[in-house]
């Protein structure tokens, strides 16, 4: 069940290129048609772009070989904390690839895309129930984009009450995802970070001290990034609302609580959720994703245009005059949301609740087996994820979280999220999801337990069995080889002298 | 005997006989392995029930399950979704001539086959570089090819779409210059304008318009030049612009911006870059565009792929992920994410952007397609686009009452003025199954009698004939 990737080296496309080859036949234009004559002289491209010249089988082989250097979820567990790497149902692939889904234009006449509008509309209804919110917008293209919309809505709400100018601050705990402060700053808010208490949860006194008439909102993830449920959520909610602030829910950890509690039941005014986490959209090596935003009634008028409304059996676009306008060009990631609806239909309400239950059960099981060999700072009861500290191993054996992560690759696993949240030393943030069978959980735990006892020199030299040895990211950031035009810089770099070269595979 | 062979387990001992007989109860979900063995896990943890793990959720915020339908089998869910999708008329059956950011192009099937390999599509962002070299190299190659097409030094790993790339460009101009005015064409699609507004408004940045020549449809460079001043952070020009007109005077606009210390942001049409001078050669500091339809299908407008390119000297201030080449501990070439110190997970409120999840899979897809097209394919693609649009342009002039709206040169999109309002034509012809174009009155109300019409290599002569016939009917 462990996954080992080949040590193949794949040349760059430009290194494989041979003049005079082509990989695609483009539809021909009639003889005598000269497009260049239609383009003003000043705008005619004179130098060809230096793209590679390859036939289609060569391109396919290039990318297939590249793919073999990647660790994917279908091959093994990806226990990244806060990332919810759960199984991606293949039905979603099938339906999103159908011509009636794939080949529609967002500005095609609405009568021509009734199916798409209905799929968006029904998707919203499902998400409203899961989130416990009054309305949902499917515009955001990712979680951080959902945060961006959420804070823009909060700004619009305060402005509508004549309080826009005075509410300038966003308060958040030091366990918050990096996107929270980054989004607040991007929207133009000042960020106030408060320290967590000894439990690893929000410090109520600290929160009270930070709140005031200048508070726009408080952003919270619940369970938080330590995997701990913020059990003082009612007190938090009252404190924030008492000063006229709003409460924002970061939905990255929604997979812990479906059916047990919801952003709505906890008193949040605005929330986002990540369809590429909780709702099983494949993560696509980094994206695309989707970040639907749910709101309570008083924020509905500000949602982005257009919204999709149902009139009789027709689905139509509707604009609100109080809307913040737009945060992306069209009306949402249709194919992404279609995948989301496929997942929701397959799971049903009961399946979603069971997902959360087993995700939490799996995490508790792993935690139980790992505590002792690794430290578990803060409160013990966690939800769908937990954060271990390798500080003991750093002290006693001189290996850090990064070494452990790299050594896990040798053991045939992907590594957890490391060095986050920032309040845990040598953090290893582990989230198994409900998709992993016990055997896989056990094998991963066994690997972590083994690493804690391995020769530190071996751990520090890891990975040895991955496609490449440990990558020098410090050099990369200093020298910036960002395209193949810059490769010469790489060749000038002195090679390490003391180490033996691994012979490239033939 | 081979010592490595594990002892054989008799299958019967593993089978749940009670369930087979319909007596036992298997968990309902087929995606959740450990649902079948809860007691075993609970025993190890040392709690009695799963509910014990939620003991810290206060009763006052608890919900009682979800009021949602029960889960369906794959077959039922597929059948239901197919029934909804049948209510769509795909562009294959219902030709669409709206272009703008999303102009439909043909993507050969091998591209989808490649990116749907599980190693790409089920993998995560390349946080563990050593087991993500496939993603890292593929995106590095995308960055390289996009940079060649734009003739700029750096292209990031992706943005959500062209409009958010524009928003990010606006913020970058502000960061770079400390100034608070963006100068944009009056002829900017309203969807992009609205997005830009939300990206910059919180920083007190003003968006000011410059006009266009009502005859040619090209930007009024003199008007723009007059409006550039010491508070101008950036000037936007799109080539081609929202009317489809090619902007001959980008270099003059770039010079005017640079003379006053402002940056030039240039929009582009990716498919045109085998034919049209790239932004890097026209004086652009930042180039923004959309690569969606050369990577993925239209998909109703999502997911999309925003392209963001700039000069190397701005790399440390640009938004978005970047992949870089380096070496590994053995001295071999390797790739990793780089300049992460600009990003939200490290820099938090001081990050250059909040973007985290992006459009990597589309960037990889676009890279694979560009590798197949090569330089000559890019030229042929642009020729085919120019041909289709000019053919349709001439056909409408000859066969219908729709007349050219502007005299300026165009590429694969153009504006026509007709006997009925653009919105009416859009509604009547569109409802009949041919979406005729984008009502130009949405860009500028004085053009309410006009449509912006796009034709690319995907349109056949028959599609053109259907548009002609449909427009004749509403005349």
């Amino acid at each position: 069940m462990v996954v080992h990737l080949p040590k193949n080296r794949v040349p760059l496309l430009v290194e494989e290129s041979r003049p005079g080859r082509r990989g695609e036949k483009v539809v021909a234009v009639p003889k005598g048609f000269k497009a260049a004559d239609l383009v003003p002289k000043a705008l005619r491209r004179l130098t060809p772009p230096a793209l590679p010249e390859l036939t289609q089988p060569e391109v396919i082989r290039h990318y297939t070989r590249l793919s073999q250097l990647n660790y994917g979820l279908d091959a093994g567990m990806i226990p990244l904390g806060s990332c919810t790497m759960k199984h991606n149902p293949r039905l979603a692939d099938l339906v999103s690839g159908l011509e009636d889904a794939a080949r529609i234009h967002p500005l095609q006449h609405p009568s021509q895309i009734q199916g798409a509008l209905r799929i968006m509309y029904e998707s919203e209804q499902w998400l409203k129930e899961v989130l416990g919110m009054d309305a949902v917008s499917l515009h955001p293209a990712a979680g951080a984009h959902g945060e961006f919309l959420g804070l823009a809505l909060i700004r619009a709400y305060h402005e509508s009450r004549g309080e826009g100018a005075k509410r300038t601050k966003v308060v958040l705990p030091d366990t918050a995802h990096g996107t929270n402060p980054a989004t607040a700053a991007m929207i133009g808010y000042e960020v106030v970070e408060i320290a967590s208490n000894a439990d690893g949860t929000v410090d109520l006194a600290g929160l009270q001290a930070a709140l005031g008439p200048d508070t726009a909102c408080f952003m919270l993830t619940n369970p938080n990034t330590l995997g701990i449920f913020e059990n003082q959520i009612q007190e938090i909610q009252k404190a924030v609302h008492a000063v006229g602030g709003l409460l924002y829910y970061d939905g990255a950890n929604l997979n812990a609580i479906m059916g047990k509690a919801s952003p709505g039941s906890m008193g949040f005014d605005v929330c986002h959720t990540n369809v590429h986490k909780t709702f099983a959209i494949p993560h696509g090596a980094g994206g695309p994703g989707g970040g639907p935003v749910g709101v309570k009634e008083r924020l509905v008028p500000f949602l982005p245009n257009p919204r999709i409304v149902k009139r009789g059996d027709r689905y139509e676009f509707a604009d609100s005059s109080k809307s913040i306008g737009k945060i992306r060009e069209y009306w949402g990631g249709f194919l992404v949301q279609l995948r989301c609806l496929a997942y929701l239909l397959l799971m049903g309400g009961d399946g979603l609740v069971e997902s959360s239950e087993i995700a939490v059960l799996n995490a508790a099981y792993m935690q139980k087996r790992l505590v002792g060999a690794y430290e578990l700072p803060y409160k013990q009861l966690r939800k769908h994820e937990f954060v271990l500290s390798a500080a003991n191993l750093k002290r006693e054996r001189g290996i850090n979280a990064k070494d452990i992560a790299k050594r896990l690759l040798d053991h045939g696993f992907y590594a957890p999220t490391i060095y986050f949240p920032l309040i845990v030393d040598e953090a290893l943030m582990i989230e198994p999801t409900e998709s992993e069978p016990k055997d896989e959980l056990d094998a991963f735990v066994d690997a972590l337990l083994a690493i804690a006892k391995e020769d530190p020199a071996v751990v520090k030299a890891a990975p040895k069995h991955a496609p490449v040895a440990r990558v020098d990211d410090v050099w990369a950031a200093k020298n910036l080889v960002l395209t193949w035009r810059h490769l010469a810089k790489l060749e000038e770099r002195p090679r390490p002298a003391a180490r033996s070269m691994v012979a490239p595979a033939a | 005997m081979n010592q490595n062979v594990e002892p054989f387990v008799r299958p019967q001992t593993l089978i749940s006989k009670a369930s087979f007989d319909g007596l036992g109860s298997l968990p309902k979900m087929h995606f959740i392995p450990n649902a079948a063995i809860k007691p075993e896990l609970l025993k190890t943890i040392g709690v009695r029930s799963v509910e014990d793990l939620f003991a810290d959720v206060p009763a006052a915020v608890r919900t009682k399950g979800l009021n949602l339908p029960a889960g369906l089998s794959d077959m039922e869910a597929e059948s239901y979704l197919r029934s909804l999708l049948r209510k769509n008329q795909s562009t294959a059956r219902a030709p669409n001539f709206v272009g703008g950011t999303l102009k439909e192009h043909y993507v050969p099937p091998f591209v989808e086959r490649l990116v749907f390999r599980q190693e790409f599509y089920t993998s995560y962002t390349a946080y563990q570089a050593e087991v993500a070299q496939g993603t890292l190299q593929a995106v590095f190659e995308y960055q390289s090819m996009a940079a060649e097409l734009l003739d700029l030094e750096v292209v990031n790993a992706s943005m959500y779409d062209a409009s958010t790339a524009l928003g990010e460009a606006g913020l970058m101009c502000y960061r770079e210059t400390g100034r608070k005015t963006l100068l944009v064409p009056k002829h900017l699609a309203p969807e992009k304008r609205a997005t830009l507004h939300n990206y910059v408004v919180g920083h007190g940045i003003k968006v000011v318009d410059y006009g266009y020549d009502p005859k040619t449809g090209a930007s009024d460079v003199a008007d723009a030049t007059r409006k550039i001043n010491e508070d101008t952070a950036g000037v936007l020009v799109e080539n081609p612009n929202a009317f489809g007109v090619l902007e001959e005077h980008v270099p003059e606009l770039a010079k005017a911006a640079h003379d006053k210390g402002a940056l030039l942001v240039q929009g582009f049409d990716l498919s045109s870059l085998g034919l049209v001078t790239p932004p890097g050669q026209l004086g652009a500091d930042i180039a923004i565009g959309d690569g969606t339809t050369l990577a993925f299908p239209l998909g109703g407008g999502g997911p999309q792929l925003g392209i963001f390119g700039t000069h190397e000297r701005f790399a440390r201030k640009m938004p978005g992920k970047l992949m870089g080449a380096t070496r590994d501990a053995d001295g071999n070439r390797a790739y990793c994410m780089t300049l992460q110190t600009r990003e939200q997970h490290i820099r938090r409120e001081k990050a250059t952007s909040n973007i985290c999840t992006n459009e990597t899979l589309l960037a990889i897809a676009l890279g694979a397609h560009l590798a197949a097209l090569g330089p000559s394919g890019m030229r042929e693609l642009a020729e085919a686009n120019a041909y289709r649009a000019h053919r349709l342009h001439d056909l409408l002039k000859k066969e219908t009452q729709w007349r050219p709206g502007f005299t300026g040169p165009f590429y694969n999109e153009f504006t026509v003025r007709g006997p009925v309002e653009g919105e009416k034509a859009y509604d009547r012809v569109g409802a009949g199954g041919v979406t005729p174009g984008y009502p130009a009155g949405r860009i500028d109300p004085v053009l309410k009698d006009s449509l912006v019409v796009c034709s690319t290599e995907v349109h056949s002569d028959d599609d053109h004939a259907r548009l002609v016939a449909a427009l004749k009917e509403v005349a």
Side-chain angles (χ1 to χ4, degrees), chain B residues 50-74:
Chain B
V50 172
E51 272 309 308
D52 292 349
L53 300 172
F54 291 90
D56 52 354
V57 181
V61 305
R62 287 292 295 258
T63 51
K64 292 195 178 69
L66 292 169
N67 183 20
L68 291 169
L72 302 178
S73 66
D74 281 71

Coordinates of all heavy atoms in Angstrom, one line a residue, chain B residues 50-74:
Chain B
V50 N -19.2 7.3 18.7 CA -18.7 8.5 17.9 C -19.2 9.8 18.5 O -18.5 10.8 18.5 CB -19.2 8.3 16.4 CG1 -18.9 9.6 15.6 CG2 -18.6 7.1 15.8
E51 N -20.4 9.8 19.1 CA -20.9 11.0 19.7 C -20.0 11.5 20.8 O -19.9 12.7 21.0 CB -22.3 10.7 20.3 CG -23.5 10.9 19.3 CD -23.4 12.2 18.6 OE1 -23.3 13.3 19.2 OE2 -23.4 12.2 17.3
D52 N -19.3 10.6 21.5 CA -18.4 11.1 22.5 C -17.3 12.0 21.9 O -16.8 12.9 22.6 CB -17.7 9.9 23.2 CG -18.6 9.1 24.0 OD1 -19.8 9.5 24.2 OD2 -18.3 8.0 24.4
L53 N -17.0 11.8 20.6 CA -16.0 12.7 20.0 C -16.5 14.1 19.7 O -15.8 15.0 19.4 CB -15.5 12.0 18.7 CG -14.8 10.6 18.9 CD1 -14.6 10.0 17.5 CD2 -13.6 10.7 19.7
F54 N -17.8 14.2 19.8 CA -18.4 15.6 19.6 C -18.9 16.1 20.9 O -19.8 17.1 20.9 CB -19.6 15.4 18.6 CG -19.1 15.1 17.2 CD1 -19.0 13.8 16.8 CD2 -18.8 16.1 16.3 CE1 -18.6 13.5 15.5 CE2 -18.4 15.8 15.0 CZ -18.3 14.5 14.6
A55 N -18.5 15.6 22.0 CA -19.0 16.0 23.4 C -18.7 17.5 23.6 O -19.4 18.1 24.4 CB -18.3 15.2 24.4
D56 N -17.7 18.1 23.0 CA -17.4 19.5 23.3 C -18.2 20.5 22.4 O -18.0 21.7 22.4 CB -15.9 19.7 23.1 CG -15.4 19.3 21.7 OD1 -16.2 18.6 21.0 OD2 -14.2 19.5 21.4
V57 N -19.1 19.9 21.6 CA -20.0 20.8 20.8 C -21.2 21.2 21.6 O -22.0 20.3 21.9 CB -20.4 20.2 19.4 CG1 -21.3 21.1 18.6 CG2 -19.2 19.7 18.6
P58 N -21.4 22.4 22.1 CA -22.4 22.8 23.0 C -23.8 22.4 22.4 O -24.0 22.6 21.2 CB -22.3 24.3 23.2 CG -21.0 24.7 22.7 CD -20.6 23.6 21.7
A59 N -24.7 22.0 23.3 CA -26.1 21.6 22.8 C -26.8 22.7 22.1 O -27.5 22.5 21.1 CB -26.9 21.2 24.0
A60 N -26.5 24.0 22.5 CA -27.2 25.1 21.9 C -26.9 25.3 20.4 O -27.6 25.9 19.7 CB -26.9 26.4 22.7
V61 N -25.7 24.8 20.0 CA -25.4 25.0 18.6 C -25.5 23.7 17.8 O -25.2 23.7 16.6 CB -23.9 25.6 18.4 CG1 -23.8 26.9 19.2 CG2 -22.9 24.6 18.8
R62 N -26.0 22.7 18.5 CA -26.1 21.4 17.8 C -27.2 21.4 16.8 O -28.3 22.0 17.0 CB -26.3 20.2 18.8 CG -25.1 19.9 19.6 CD -24.0 19.3 18.8 NE -24.4 18.0 18.2 CZ -23.9 16.8 18.7 NH1 -23.2 16.8 19.8 NH2 -24.3 15.7 18.2
T63 N -27.0 20.7 15.7 CA -28.1 20.5 14.7 C -28.5 19.0 14.7 O -27.6 18.1 15.1 CB -27.7 20.9 13.3 OG1 -26.5 20.3 13.0 CG2 -27.6 22.4 13.2
K64 N -29.7 18.6 14.3 CA -30.0 17.2 14.3 C -30.0 16.7 12.9 O -30.9 16.6 12.2 CB -31.5 17.1 14.8 CG -31.6 17.4 16.3 CD -32.9 16.9 16.9 CE -33.0 17.1 18.4 NZ -33.1 18.6 18.7
G65 N -28.8 16.3 12.5 CA -28.6 15.8 11.1 C -28.8 16.8 10.0 O -28.9 18.0 10.3
L66 N -29.1 16.4 8.8 CA -29.3 17.3 7.7 C -30.6 16.9 7.1 O -30.9 15.7 6.8 CB -28.2 17.2 6.7 CG -26.8 17.7 7.1 CD1 -25.7 17.2 6.1 CD2 -26.8 19.2 7.3
N67 N -31.4 17.9 6.8 CA -32.7 17.7 6.2 C -32.5 17.7 4.7 O -32.9 18.6 4.0 CB -33.7 18.8 6.6 CG -35.1 18.6 6.0 OD1 -35.4 17.5 5.6 ND2 -35.8 19.7 6.0
L68 N -32.0 16.6 4.2 CA -31.6 16.4 2.8 C -32.0 15.1 2.3 O -32.1 14.1 3.1 CB -30.1 16.7 2.6 CG -29.6 18.1 2.8 CD1 -28.1 18.1 2.8 CD2 -30.1 19.0 1.7
P69 N -32.2 14.9 1.0 CA -32.6 13.5 0.5 C -31.5 12.5 0.8 O -30.4 12.8 1.1 CB -32.7 13.8 -1.0 CG -32.8 15.2 -1.2 CD -32.1 15.9 0.0
A70 N -32.0 11.2 0.8 CA -31.0 10.1 0.9 C -30.1 10.0 -0.3 O -30.5 10.5 -1.4 CB -31.8 8.8 1.1
G71 N -29.0 9.4 -0.1 CA -28.0 9.3 -1.2 C -28.5 8.4 -2.3 O -29.3 7.5 -2.0
L72 N -28.1 8.6 -3.5 CA -28.5 7.8 -4.7 C -27.4 6.9 -5.0 O -26.2 7.1 -4.7 CB -28.8 8.7 -5.9 CG -29.8 9.8 -5.7 CD1 -30.0 10.7 -7.0 CD2 -31.2 9.2 -5.3
S73 N -27.7 5.9 -5.8 CA -26.7 5.0 -6.4 C -26.1 5.8 -7.6 O -26.6 6.8 -8.0 CB -27.4 3.7 -7.0 OG -28.2 4.1 -8.1
D74 N -24.9 5.4 -8.0 CA -24.3 6.1 -9.2 C -25.2 6.1 -10.3 O -25.3 7.2 -11.0 CB -23.0 5.3 -9.6 CG -21.8 5.6 -8.6 OD1 -21.8 5.1 -7.5 OD2 -20.9 6.3 -9.1

